[in-house]
Structure formats: C-alpha cells, structure tokens
C-alpha cells in the first residue's frame, strides 16, 4: 500500500494524465500523505507547545504544583511593563545583539571577500572559517570565560603586557556585554562568511568585466556589483542573526560559573532568554515565564513587521 | 550494626564478596532481584564512600544505581518536574536543606512517610534536622544525611607572616564568641599581610557564616518572610560589607574556578568552612598547600548546608527504597560518610562513634575535626527554615554582597537591589 503510494508519487505527470480517473481522491491525497510526517511532528513539537505556553501565560502557576493554577488574565503581561528586570534584560538583549551582529556581519563580508580571492589552500581556509560554528556553545563559552578571567585571564594578561590596567570582564556593565558578544561573534562569523561566499559565486562574472571596462576600481566593483548581488543573502543572515540575538541564552548562562541564570551580580548581561529561564526554573513561576516567552515572540514579529513596513515604504517612494 | 560498619570500613573498596555469615541476610529473599536508583547532585559521597557496595553485600538481591547531576540549580527544578509528573524519578532522591521546606510544603502528597521505615529511630537524629522534614500533620518526608557545622580554616604560614597566632586553640580564642573579633583579626592581618594575600576569600562567605548562626534567618516560625526586617540578617550583611570595604577579602565568588585558583595560589589566609568544605579545600589547595592549613573553632556556632533523602511514593519499590534510605542515613553509615568524605553526621548518635569523635584530618595538621565540628553541631541554634531559603540566600550573596565585594557598590544600594530581586523572585 505504502509502496504503491510511493510509486505513484514518482510517476511522471504525463503518465498521470493519460491514466483514467479511477481513484482521484487517493491520488490527490498522496502528496499530503507524504508531507504529513513533517506537519505531524511540527504540530506535536512546535504548535502544541506554542499553544500550551500561550494558555499557561494567563495563569498564576508554579513548578511546585502545576495542577493548582489560578486564572490571572493578562496580569503576567501587564506586570512585564513595570518589571525593571524585564526592561533590563530587553536592553541587554538589544545591546549584546548589536554588539555581536553588526561587527559579525561586516567581518563576515570581509572574510568572504578574502576567501573568494584565488589563494593557496582555499579549502583549508574555508573549513577553518566554519570550525567555530561546529564547536559547541558550552565548550566555546567555557574557554572564553577562562580568557576573560579577572585575576588569571589571558586577556587581562595581554592588556598588562601593553601597559593597560586589567578589566573586570564579569562585572563591568559594558565589558561583560562585550565579552559575551565576542563569543557570539567568534562562533558565527565564519558561518555567515560562507553564506556570503556562496552568494558571491552566483554574481555573473560579466558584470565585473563590464564594470572594470567602465573604469571601476576594486572597491567600486565590490560596492556596486558584489553588494547588490548579495542582497538576499544579507537579508537572510540579518534575519537569522536577529532571531539568534533575541534567543541568546547559552553564552550568557555559561559565561560565569557563579552567576547562573541571573546574568551577573547586577544582571548586567542577563538576556531575555536567560530571564525567562530564571523565572521558570529558578524562581519556578511558570506563568510568568510563559508570558515572557510570548512577549519575546511578539517582539520579534513586531520587529520584522517594522522592517517590512520601512522597506516597503522606501520601495514605493523610489518607484 | 557496629560490626557491620566495621566490616564495611574494612573492605568497601574490595570487589563484592559473598557476605559473611551473620551479616545481613545471606539467603536471597523469595522475591526477584530489584534494582534501586538513587538520584543525587554534586559529588554526594555515598557512592564514593562505598555505602552502596556495602548495602549490596548485605542484600545480594538488591542492586543500586546512582544518577547524578553536578549542579543543584539544575537538579532541583528537574526533581520538581519529575515529582509533579510522577515519572522519571529515582527510587531515592536527595534534597538540599535550602529546598527541604518547599519540598515538604508542596510535595507532601507525592512523598512517602519515612518516620516508621525499618531501622529509623527519631532519637538518633538532631531534633532540628528531624523537624525540618516533618509536615504539620507529623509525617516525616526526608531523612537527614549530613549537616554543615561551621569552623574557620586558616593558613598557618600566612597567619605567622602577619604576626597572628598559629596554634588552633589560640586562633580560636582570638575571635571566640563574636564575629566582630574575626573582623578585628582581619584588620590586624591586613596591617602586616604578605603581598598578594587577603585575610578571607569573600564577603559573601563571611555573611553566610554569620547568618547561619542566627536563631531567626529569612523566615519566622509562622512561615512569613522576614529577611528585610530581621536585624540578624542586617548585622550579617553589615559585617560582610565591612570586610569588603576594608579590603580584607580576595574579592572572589565561592565555587567558581577563580575561587579554586585562590586556594591553589594561597591568595587568602582564612575561610569559614563547614565540615563538607574540608575535602574541597584539600582538593583545590592540593599538595602545594599540604601542612599549611589548619582548622579552628568559628566565633559562633552555625550550620551551613546539609541534605536529606526522600522517597517518591509514585515509585514501584517504595518499601525497598525506604529501607535503603533508612540504612544510608543510620548513624553507622553517616559516620563512615564523615570518615571518608567529610560530610558531618546529622545523626547525633553518630557523634560518639570513634569514626567521628576521634577523627583527625591529616591535611589540616591533624586537627581534631571530629571534636571541633561535634561541638559546633551541638550548639547550632534552631532556626525556622522557609520554602525559599535557598533562593533568598543565593540572591543575598550573589546579587547583593557580591557587588559590594567585587564592584565596590555602596552596601545600602546593593541591599536595596538584593531586596528588589528577592521580591521579584518570590513574586511579591
């Protein structure tokens, strides 16, 4: 039965057309049956948790007794507005996101440009660029935390060598954000560079030749030919980086072995993801954690909506 | 039972051998062999001390497996999730004292009463330890494993270099009776401190030690949160802050790699040390610190930490699990745990056993740790524990005092930040 379904799916469309319309329902159902496993899994592990979280966010409910929930209406959302820890986490998330994403994408562009050139051992450099991405968050973060140690860290040692005073990378409000962002930067730059590299390969070489004939230098060719060719890739990496920034969790969690989910003594690098975890699994308030999760989703959706609106408006204006 | 403990002490590391006649029941029971699981956090020590092997030798039809998570802050939420779901539980689970009141208060219906488990004798335990796991209606849901009576561990070489006494009796007298004398000793140390060393490791460590000796801490007997208004907490806070402001600390956070390196490099001369910390210090200070450390009495008695064993009632082998928990927490086994791992018995009946009473610690200059810690344990004031004791303690230390110590934040401002964080965490 399943074998037959599979075979029918593989027959060319032309053969399908000459076949008498014997069992139209089944042939129309076949594609749905084939995509069903994905959607079933998505419903079970994507849609259901999403809906359950939404439902939970309207209750006062603790991990100690999930069955004893109390209807709270929009209270969990309303209190976010006056929750200074939420605003602190939101601003940390945005700042760390900017500190990590902007230099990351610029650097990736530069790396991709270099990798696109004909150099010896290209394959080695490409694999090397991807190596940080293949490293686990935990391993990378633990090593970075060692580098950024206050008393015996390598970074402070290097600062000392060049005559600068040591920095408290854990407690400094900016230093700690920079340190966490640098882990993200290190892990994702190579990945983005390879995406840009692949996109650069799709730019037709005639365009470069034509530009060169018109007297464009290397920089202008990059600016006027390469960059416009990369637009879809730029949009993709920008969107993925933004999502990653909002969900940033592992790096700040493991950056200090003593801080845990608090994100530092003064919550100086507590991100939204970390605050959600703290509410749910340290403070045990499942309802508040659920509301926070939905607030994060809504923030992302609103952010992308805003970007679309701005870009759409500009596009129409140009036309 | 004493004979059993002696037997166990003799061959706990040997491969399992058939039990000697008379020890336990050599004839397997009619039932099929059972496997019991024990869920613990950190390096709990029961496995390392050979207690499971000993139990399996006494009961050839029982096999014991341990699952362990290294961090309490991961272990505890998982335990709650498993309890509320009634699945994924081990037959015996460990609970830390900071969480015991919450477990007793909210999970009573999901845990077995251990008051009458075979071999459990109420009078064996310290009364306050027994009471901490007892419900209002008199069921006892957890059996105490260890407690954390306090002492002060100090470096003789650094004390000598700064002109302080080094003999443990004299050092104890230096600050006997008052934590403010510990501060005074710190100031004396600082005046002549060897370069690159501080008097103590952290302001949070001092604060935790002072609080641990108060008869009222974060909750009152009626279960109300009193942390903000309790003068004892505030006094501990002010003393910790005084250490930070006077520059008497190495500005470290406890249980972080930097703290570990502080031990290894001898960056501080003293640390308030519950019994369970001795092994940790020995580990981290290593051979380089051998012969330099010693243990003196703390200014005031206090208790910091300790654990319980509970038996989830959803399990398929509740009776067998209760018997195991009872055996593991019996005085003889607690004495072995102290002898091998340094976890101090919560069973007062164990204090008189030679393994405890005569215990000396070779790494700490052969200090009579059994005598020092038993004396502290007997004098610990009984303080009510509340459901969020662990969380409140953590916020006071890691959000509040850590800032005073590491960033120089004004104590008043850090106190307000800690109170705000506590209110948020407790949803008040």
């Amino acid at each position: 039965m399943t074998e037959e379904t599979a075979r029918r799916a593989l027959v060319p469309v032309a053969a399908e057309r000459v076949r008498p319309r014997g069992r139209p329902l089944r042939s129309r159902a076949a594609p749905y049956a084939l995509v069903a496993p994905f959607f079933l899994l998505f419903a079970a592990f994507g849609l259901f948790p999403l809906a359950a979280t939404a439902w939970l966010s309207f209750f006062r409910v603790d991990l100690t007794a999930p069955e004893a929930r109390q209807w709270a209406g929009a209270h969990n959302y309303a209190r976010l507005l006056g929750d200074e820890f939420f605003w602190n986490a939101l601003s940390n998330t945005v700042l760390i996101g900017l500190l990590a994403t902007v230099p990351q994408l610029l650097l990736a562009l530069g790396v991709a440009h270099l990798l696109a050139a004909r150099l010896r051992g290209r394959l080695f450099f490409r694999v090397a660029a991807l190596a940080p991405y293949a490293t686990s968050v935990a391993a990378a973060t633990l090593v970075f935390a060692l580098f950024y140690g206050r008393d015996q860290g390598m970074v402070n040692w290097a600062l000392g060598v060049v005559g600068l005073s040591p920095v408290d990378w854990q407690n400094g409000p900016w230093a700690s954000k920079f340190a966490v962002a640098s882990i993200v930067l290190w892990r994702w730059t190579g990945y983005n560079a390879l995406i840009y590299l692949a996109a650069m390969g799709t730019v037709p070489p005639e365009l470069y030749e034509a530009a060169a004939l018109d007297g464009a230098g290397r920089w202008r060719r990059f600016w006027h030919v390469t960059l416009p060719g990369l637009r879809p890739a730029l949009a993709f990496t920008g969107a993925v980086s933004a999502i990653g920034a909002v969900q940033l969790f592992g790096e700040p969690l493991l950056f200090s072995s003593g801080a845990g989910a608090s994100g530092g003594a003064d919550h100086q690098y507590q991100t939204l993801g970390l605050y959600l975890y703290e509410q749910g699994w340290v403070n045990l308030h499942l309802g508040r954690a659920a509301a926070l999760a939905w607030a994060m989703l809504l923030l992302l959706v609103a952010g992308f909506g805003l970007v679309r609106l701005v870009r759409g408006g500009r596009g129409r204006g140009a036309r | 039972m004493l004979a059993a403990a002696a037997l166990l002490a003799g061959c706990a590391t040997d491969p399992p051998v058939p039990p000697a006649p008379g020890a336990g029941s050599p004839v397997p029971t009619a039932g099929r062999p059972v496997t019991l699981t024990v869920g613990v956090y950190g390096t709990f020590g029961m496995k390392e001390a050979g207690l499971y092997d000993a139990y399996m030798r006494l009961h050839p039809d029982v096999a014991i497996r341990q699952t362990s998570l290294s961090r309490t802050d991961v272990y505890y939420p998982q335990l709650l999730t498993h309890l509320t779901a009634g699945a994924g539980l081990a037959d015996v689970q460990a609970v830390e004292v900071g969480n015991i009141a919450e477990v007793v208060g909210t999970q009573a219906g999901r845990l077995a009463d251990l008051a009458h488990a075979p071999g459990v004798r109420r009078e064996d335990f310290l009364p306050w330890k027994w009471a901490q796991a007892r419900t209002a209606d008199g069921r006892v849901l957890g059996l105490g494993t260890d407690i954390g009576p306090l002492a002060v561990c100090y470096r003789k070489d650094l004390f000598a270099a700064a002109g302080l006494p080094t003999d443990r009796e004299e050092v104890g007298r230096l600050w006997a009776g008052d934590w403010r004398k510990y501060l005074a000793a710190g100031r004396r140390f600082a005046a002549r401190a060897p370069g690159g060393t501080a008097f103590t490791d952290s302001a949070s460590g001092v604060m935790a030690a002072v609080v641990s000796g108060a008869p009222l801490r974060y909750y009152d007997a009626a279960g109300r949160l009193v942390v903000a208004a309790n003068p004892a907490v505030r006094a501990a806070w002010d003393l910790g802050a005084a250490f930070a402001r006077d520059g008497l600390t190495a500005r470290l956070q406890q249980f972080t790699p930097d703290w570990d390196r502080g031990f290894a490099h001898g960056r501080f001369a003293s640390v308030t040390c519950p019994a369970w910390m001795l092994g940790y210090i020995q580990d981290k200070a290593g051979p380089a610190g051998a012969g330099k450390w010693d243990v003196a009495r703390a200014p005031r008695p206090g208790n910091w930490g300790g654990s319980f064993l509970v038996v989830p009632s959803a399990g398929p082998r509740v009776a067998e699990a209760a018997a195991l928990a009872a055996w593991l927490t019996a005085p003889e086994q607690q004495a072995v745990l102290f002898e091998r791992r340094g976890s101090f018995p919560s069973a007062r009946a164990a204090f008189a056993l030679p393994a405890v009473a005569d215990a000396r610690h070779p790494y700490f200059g052969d200090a009579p740790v059994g005598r020092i810690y038993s004396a502290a344990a007997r004098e610990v004031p009984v303080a009510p524990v509340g459901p969020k004791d662990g969380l409140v303690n953590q916020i006071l230390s890691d959000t509040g005092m850590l800032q005073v110590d590491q960033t120089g934040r004004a104590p008043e401002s850090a106190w307000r930040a800690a109170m705000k964080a506590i209110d948020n965490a407790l949803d008040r």
Side-chain angles (χ1 to χ4, degrees):
Chain A
M1 177 69 173
T2 41
E3 207 184 359
E4 194 203 357
T5 324
R7 193 148 30 84
R8 287 168 70 85
L10 287 173
V11 253
V13 184
E16 190 76 34
R17 218 177 276 146
V18 291
R19 187 169 293 190
R21 290 158 167 256
R23 291 168 292 185
L25 187 70
R26 272 183 59 188
S27 58
R28 250 184 277 145
Y32 293 103
L34 285 172
V35 295
F38 167 76
F39 282 97
L40 280 177
L41 287 176
F42 176 70
F45 297 104
L47 226 49
F48 171 72
L50 207 64
T53 306
W55 178 238
L56 209 59
S57 72
F58 293 107
F59 289 90
R60 233 187 128 92
V61 49
D62 273 16
L63 188 62
T64 49
E67 71 284 348
R69 52 181 71 164
Q70 260 177 310
W71 178 257
H75 175 70
N76 287 330
Y77 290 94
R79 71 172 297 158
L80 279 182
L81 296 176
D83 180 353
E84 62 176 280
F85 296 97
F86 167 72
W87 292 110
N88 170 62
L90 179 60
S91 107
N92 288 347
T93 306
V94 171
L95 289 175
I96 295 176
L98 287 176
L99 277 175
T101 309
V102 174
Q104 179 194 144
L105 296 185
L106 291 177
L107 214 63
L109 213 53
V111 170
H113 193 63
L114 290 179
L115 286 178
R118 295 185 157 274
L119 20 103
R120 240 173 256 190
R122 263 172 19 157
L123 187 66
F124 169 78
F125 285 112
R126 288 179 186 191
V127 172
L130 205 60
Y133 172 66
T135 315
S136 87
V137 188
T141 307
L142 293 179
V143 172
F144 269 87
L146 273 180
F147 284 164
Y148 284 117
R150 184 192 66 192
D151 296 333
Q152 274 104 17
M154 251 168 66
V155 177
N156 276 350
W157 171 80
L159 287 177
V161 166
V162 297
L164 296 170
S165 53
V167 173
D168 190 343
W169 295 103
Q170 295 284 346
N171 285 306
W174 280 102
S176 58
K177 288 186 189 69
F178 174 82
V180 171
S182 71
I183 308 171
V184 184
L185 181 83
W186 179 81
R187 278 194 72 228
W188 289 90
T189 301
Y191 169 82
N192 287 317
L194 288 194
I195 290 182
Y196 292 154
L197 184 63
M200 281 175 185
T202 64
V203 179
E206 309 89 83
L207 289 181
Y208 288 108
E209 282 168 26
L213 282 177
D214 288 345
R218 294 194 73 163
W219 174 244
R220 296 198 61 170
R221 268 177 292 172
F222 178 76
W223 191 254
H224 291 290
V225 181
T226 311
L227 268 192
L230 288 184
R231 270 188 66 173
L234 286 172
F236 171 75
T237 53
V240 169
S241 301
I243 293 172
V246 171
Q247 296 179 341
L248 191 63
F249 175 72
E251 289 88 347
L253 177 70
L254 296 170
F255 179 57
S256 159
S257 53
S262 71
D266 201 19
H267 313 281
Q268 64 269 22
Y269 51 93
Q270 185 175 49
T271 56
L272 284 174
L274 217 48
Y275 187 46
L276 185 162
Y277 180 79
E278 188 183 37
Q279 279 299 357
W281 279 267
V282 178
N283 302 343
L284 312 181
H285 305 312
L286 293 185
R288 288 178 67 182
L292 196 54
W294 264 88
M296 283 165 66
L297 178 67
L298 296 177
L299 275 170
L300 259 184
V301 170
F304 281 119
L306 205 68
V307 169
R308 270 193 84 104
L309 214 66
V310 170
R311 283 184 47 186
R314 257 220 318 254
R316 263 193 299 281
R319 250 174 248 144
Chain B
M1 278 304 252
L2 265 175
L7 175 84
L8 179 165
C11 54
T13 49
D14 298 342
V17 289
S25 55
V27 188
T29 48
R32 263 168 286 138
V34 291
T35 301
L36 294 174
T37 50
V38 182
V40 300
Y41 50 84
T43 316
F44 208 77
M46 295 189 298
K47 182 179 179 180
E48 293 79 357
L51 292 182
Y52 300 153
D53 288 339
Y55 191 79
M56 288 190 274
R57 233 170 286 138
L58 292 172
H59 303 268
D61 52 337
V62 175
I64 301 174
R65 254 209 308 269
Q66 176 176 286
T67 56
S68 176
L69 284 178
S70 60
R71 297 181 61 135
T72 358
D73 56 348
V74 178
Y75 172 87
Y76 180 58
Q78 194 189 81
L79 172 64
L80 285 178
T81 316
H82 288 171
L83 275 172
T84 52
L89 289 157
D91 295 300
V92 177
Q93 294 267 0
V95 176
E96 216 262 334
V97 62
N99 303 124
I100 191 68
E102 186 165 63
V103 167
V104 169
T106 64
Q107 309 300 315
R110 304 183 179 107
L111 296 173
D113 184 3
L114 300 174
H116 309 292
V120 170
R121 279 196 313 266
R122 176 190 176 155
E123 58 279 9
D124 279 351
F125 289 88
L126 287 165
W128 53 269
K129 187 78 175 179
W130 180 265
Q132 281 174 344
R134 195 178 54 204
T135 61
D137 58 357
R139 298 168 65 222
V140 173
L141 306 179
L143 295 174
T145 56
D146 63 318
I147 58 173
L150 268 187
V152 174
C153 296
Y154 65 98
R155 289 263 305 231
K156 282 173 289 197
D157 58 329
L158 298 181
F159 267 42
L164 292 177
T166 56
D167 173 69
R168 68 181 74 95
E169 294 298 329
E170 281 177 62
V171 170
R173 272 199 297 278
L174 192 61
W175 50 58
D178 194 342
W179 280 102
R180 277 172 300 189
K181 293 188 190 165
Y182 184 57
L183 177 67
R187 288 183 176 138
R188 263 179 71 187
F189 178 89
R192 292 178 55 189
T197 65
F199 179 62
T200 192
D201 63 324
S202 65
S204 295
V206 174
M207 179 179 66
V210 180
V211 169
S212 76
L216 191 70
R217 296 169 205 171
Y218 309 135
Y219 286 83
D220 65 10
R224 281 184 301 257
L225 187 76
V226 294
V227 56
N230 182 356
V233 173
R234 189 58 210 223
W237 173 275
D238 289 340
L239 196 78
F243 272 86
R245 304 227 100 182
D246 285 10
L248 305 181
T249 74
R251 300 170 62 229
L252 296 167
Q253 187 179 10
Q254 297 196 321
F255 303 101
T256 62
D258 280 337
W259 192 56
D260 297 349
R261 282 191 289 270
F263 280 113
H265 297 187
R267 294 200 48 229
F268 43 86
S270 69
V271 56
T272 52
C273 55
W276 46 261
M277 204 187 274
L278 295 181
Y280 192 93
I281 295 175
Q282 181 178 354
D283 253 19
K284 302 303 175 188
K292 294 176 177 163
W293 286 91
D294 210 319
V295 187
R297 294 195 59 172
R300 312 265 316 149
N303 180 72
W304 178 5
S307 299
F308 295 81
L309 295 181
V310 302
V311 173
S313 50
R317 296 168 290 268
V318 174
E320 289 93 333
L324 173 61
W327 186 84
L328 286 171
T329 54
E332 293 77 15
Q333 279 64 253
Q334 293 205 18
V336 172
L337 199 59
F338 176 64
E339 198 183 15
R340 305 238 173 109
R341 303 294 308 173
S343 299
F344 196 80
S346 65
R348 58 182 165 179
F351 294 2
L353 297 179
V356 178
D358 304 336
R360 288 178 169 270
H361 205 304
Y363 189 83
F364 292 84
D366 266 332
V369 288
R371 199 158 48 75
I372 294 173
Y373 284 115
S374 319
R378 286 202 188 89
E379 294 168 31
V380 171
V382 184
V385 293
K388 298 291 184 184
D389 253 38
L391 191 54
V392 170
N393 196 39
Q394 185 194 327
I395 293 174
L396 274 178
S397 290
D398 295 347
T399 294
M401 191 51 72
L402 188 66
Q403 290 192 67
V404 179
D405 205 9
Q406 293 198 339
T407 69
R409 186 163 178 178
E412 199 50 48
S413 150
W415 171 267
R416 279 196 303 273
M419 292 304 128
K420 223 181 269 177
I422 287 172
D423 284 344
N424 183 48
L426 270 55
D427 208 5
R428 283 152 52 86

